[in-house]
Amino acid sequence: MKDIDTQFLRGLFDEEGSLHAAGRTALYRLYGLEGLLYVGISTSPLTRIRTHLREQPWGARVIAVRIDYPDHAEAAERETVQAERPLYNVVFNGATPPPPPDPVARLRVRLAAHQRRLEEFEAAVPESTTHLRLLVRGIASAKSAIARLTEEIAVTEAAQRSAANG
């Protein structure tokens, strides 16, 4: 590798070995087979993710990572946690968050989260045969959840119509 290439590659990372983001705050998501495990924000997302993988009891279950750079990271984190309900977030993910008042609306929020998860699984590029197997299992799980929720929405809407007409 030429010196200029080495300098370029080093310039992509900060002193801690994280991707250099010019001071921007990243929103990161950590996924396991069961879905979204954790959402966080950091100016050094790779360093922060490594810390989670090392120190959290659920760190070994992480199979995928997604990093975005939204304009308003703090607001994006709050909205993401409230909408996607990661398993291990405490902040913004209280034990009893206010659900949408309508049961069908609650189901549609869950359906949208599963559809986003499916899209992310389908867009992932497998890094190994093990990773491929995990992705295939994740896709099958997401499709199953989408089918269940779609059926539950139909049943709930029919019950609401019947109650309104009855």
Side-chain angles (χ1 to χ4, degrees):
M1 186 180 301
K2 295 185 262 179
D3 263 352
I4 190 122
D5 293 334
T6 305
Q7 288 174 352
F8 171 76
L9 290 172
R10 283 187 183 145
L12 294 175
F13 297 89
D14 63 19
E15 297 81 30
E16 296 178 339
S18 286
L19 285 173
H20 182 65
R24 294 178 20 219
T25 301
L27 172 73
Y28 61 90
R29 292 174 175 89
L30 305 177
Y31 295 92
L33 279 178
E34 60 273 56
L36 185 59
L37 299 176
Y38 189 80
V39 172
I41 57 174
S42 176
T43 56
S44 298
L46 296 180
T47 301
R48 185 69 181 124
I49 290 166
R50 278 195 302 265
T51 302
H52 289 309
L53 297 177
R54 252 191 341 264
E55 297 177 3
Q56 294 298 328
W58 45 263
R61 294 169 36 200
V62 174
I63 62 167
V65 174
R66 177 176 168 195
I67 300 174
D68 297 306
Y69 289 89
D71 289 332
H72 304 286
E74 293 83 6
E77 178 189 28
R78 181 179 52 254
E79 292 164 7
T80 301
V81 170
Q82 290 173 344
E84 298 180 24
R85 310 293 296 152
L87 293 175
Y88 296 104
N89 278 78
V90 177
V91 179
F92 310 127
N93 200 10
T96 54
D102 177 25
V104 173
R106 280 195 302 271
L107 291 171
R108 288 190 190 284
V109 167
R110 287 178 49 207
L111 177 62
H114 281 286
Q115 288 170 328
R116 279 192 304 275
R117 180 174 169 223
L118 175 61
E119 289 170 5
E120 289 166 357
F121 272 129
E122 289 177 334
V125 176
E127 298 170 10
S128 68
T129 55
T130 301
H131 191 232
L132 176 61
R133 284 192 300 273
L134 293 173
L135 287 172
V136 169
R137 285 174 50 193
I139 288 170
S141 174
K143 285 182 177 179
S144 174
I146 288 169
R148 279 194 317 274
L149 285 168
T150 302
E151 178 64 25
E152 193 174 345
I153 288 169
V155 167
T156 305
E157 286 177 329
Q160 285 178 337
R161 281 192 301 273
S162 177
N165 293 335

